[in-house]
Amino acid sequence: MTAARKIIVTTDPGQDQAVALFVLLALPKDFDILGVVATAGNIGLDKTQRNARQLLELAGRSDVRVYLGSPRPMRRPLVTAEHVHGPNGLDGVDLPEPSMPLQAQSGIDFIVETLLREPPGSVTLVCLSPLTNLGLALEKEPDIASRMAGVVMMAGAYFEVGNITPAAEFNVYVDPEAADLVLRSGAAITMLPLDVTHQMLSTPERLDRFRALGNRCGLATADMLSFSEAFDLKKYGWEGAPLHGPCVPAYMLKPELFVSRRINVTVETDSALTLGMTVADWWRVTDRPRNVAYVRNGDPAGYYDLLVETIARLP
Ligand code: RIB
């Protein structure tokens, strides 16, 4: 029996990230969640911190500590995505106000102090959100880069191009400077970009599988995704909306479902036209450091099987 992996989660839920949180929360023997750092992104921090606590309570995991991250990106004004996720970010469900507390310590200090305290190589950063809080932690204490077991992040795009601009994926676009800091940090980074998340489509049949579980988290999953899919179905015209966030825990649980390559990824932080673009040297035509395990493909059937069987374990 291998020990549960110690993780710190950064998240701005967001219906897709709610499902990712459900997966992480459903498997305490796999994931020892040291803390969740609420991030400004899909909606403002005032709502992401509330959403995170609501989801923990829905999943019966109010034991997990929630910390406040930064209310804005490192160097830019916040860009949000209510047009996708609704004004509250978890539209599709109506959850009770949370009763569990927020931690008093700032999310950035929590990340730094945890990584300096825990044995080197024992804590993985699970980044579902813009990378603001990890970027600020790295800026505050650069030594944490060598102490992380790694970073697994939903971020970026290359072959699938951008979703918030023609060139940029949302998480990176919100805070390109933070993404740049993380990509240059020397940490062991695994990146799950739109190239793979766009293969994971929540078709009506797949949504029905969540609903058929009959538990409150399965029903909430179906209801949340049935709300957030509207924008993507109209935009892409596909049979289902891409389910981004859960690719991160799914990769950690079953990497055999995915195909990756070690390459260089560099982010644009200056150009107004391509700000936030993640330039992936897929054919290795440069001598830039191969700083990322770039996940380009995945197995949708295996992915949804994993999500359904995992969420079935929740209340
Ligand atoms: O580009 C996809 C990402 O943007 C996901 O994290 C989704 O929640 C949105 O924040």
Side-chain angles (χ1 to χ4, degrees):
M1 166 75 77
T2 55
R5 294 171 72 169
K6 293 179 180 177
I7 65 173
I8 294 172
V9 184
T10 74
T11 182
D12 55 321
Q15 294 86 351
D16 69 298
Q17 294 183 40
V19 184
L21 288 173
F22 284 163
V23 174
L24 293 167
L25 295 165
L27 300 170
K29 292 181 180 175
D30 294 277
F31 300 112
D32 176 4
I33 305 174
L34 303 182
V36 170
V37 179
T39 302
N42 284 321
I43 49 311
L45 182 64
D46 59 324
K47 293 179 180 169
T48 60
Q49 59 82 12
R50 184 195 62 192
N51 294 353
R53 291 187 289 148
Q54 287 176 318
L55 292 164
L56 293 184
E57 290 183 339
L58 189 70
R61 291 299 309 277
S62 56
D63 59 294
V64 175
R65 294 185 176 94
V66 178
Y67 298 81
L68 275 181
S70 169
R72 67 189 59 80
M74 293 185 76
R75 305 281 188 272
R76 297 174 184 274
L78 177 63
V79 172
T80 55
E82 288 87 350
H83 61 287
V84 178
H85 300 280
N88 294 313
L90 291 185
D91 295 72
V93 287
D94 184 13
L95 300 177
E97 281 303 308
S99 57
M100 66 179 287
L102 271 173
Q103 298 301 306
Q105 184 180 35
S106 81
I108 288 88
D109 288 344
F110 162 71
I111 293 171
V112 170
E113 290 187 14
T114 301
L115 289 169
L116 294 180
R117 178 189 72 240
E118 295 292 331
S122 65
V123 179
T124 300
L125 271 288
V126 176
C127 298
L128 308 173
S129 68
L131 294 158
T132 304
N133 296 305
L134 181 51
L136 287 167
L138 282 163
E139 189 171 67
K140 182 167 189 170
E141 182 49 80
D143 288 350
I144 63 173
S146 63
R147 298 182 63 90
M148 290 184 245
V151 182
V152 187
M153 60 192 196
M154 193 278 131
Y158 190 62
F159 298 96
E160 272 295 294
V161 297
N163 59 359
I164 188 71
T165 75
E169 177 277 323
F170 180 78
N171 284 338
V172 176
Y173 182 74
V174 167
D175 202 333
E177 284 77 15
D180 186 47
L181 261 172
V182 173
L183 287 167
R184 296 179 187 276
S185 68
I189 299 169
T190 301
M191 193 167 172
L192 290 115
L194 298 180
D195 305 333
V196 65
T197 69
H198 279 190
Q199 299 171 23
M200 309 305 186
L201 302 183
S202 293
T203 62
E205 296 73 25
R206 287 166 177 164
L207 292 181
D208 286 345
R209 292 179 68 189
F210 293 121
R211 193 174 302 282
L213 288 174
N215 58 345
R216 67 188 192 207
C217 290
L219 293 171
T221 295
D223 289 343
M224 288 189 290
L225 298 182
S226 297
F227 176 89
S228 59
E229 71 173 5
F231 179 83
D232 284 339
L233 291 180
K234 183 177 179 185
K235 174 178 178 181
Y236 296 115
W238 294 338
E239 60 180 337
L243 185 51
H244 309 288
C247 283
V248 173
Y251 175 85
M252 297 175 76
L253 288 164
K254 287 195 170 181
E256 65 273 17
L257 292 176
F258 300 89
V259 178
S260 67
R261 178 185 293 186
R262 282 209 70 79
I263 60 170
N264 175 267
V265 175
T266 301
V267 60
E268 175 60 61
T269 57
D270 295 321
S271 160
L273 178 62
T274 57
L275 179 70
M277 180 176 181
T278 44
V279 180
D281 185 4
W282 184 256
W283 300 114
R284 298 165 172 164
V285 298
T286 74
D287 59 359
R288 296 174 191 151
R290 294 174 187 174
N291 56 340
V292 166
Y294 193 85
V295 181
R296 183 175 179 187
N297 289 295
D299 168 8
Y303 177 67
Y304 282 91
D305 286 348
L306 176 62
L307 299 188
V308 170
E309 70 191 31
T310 302
I311 292 172
R313 298 172 182 228
L314 291 170

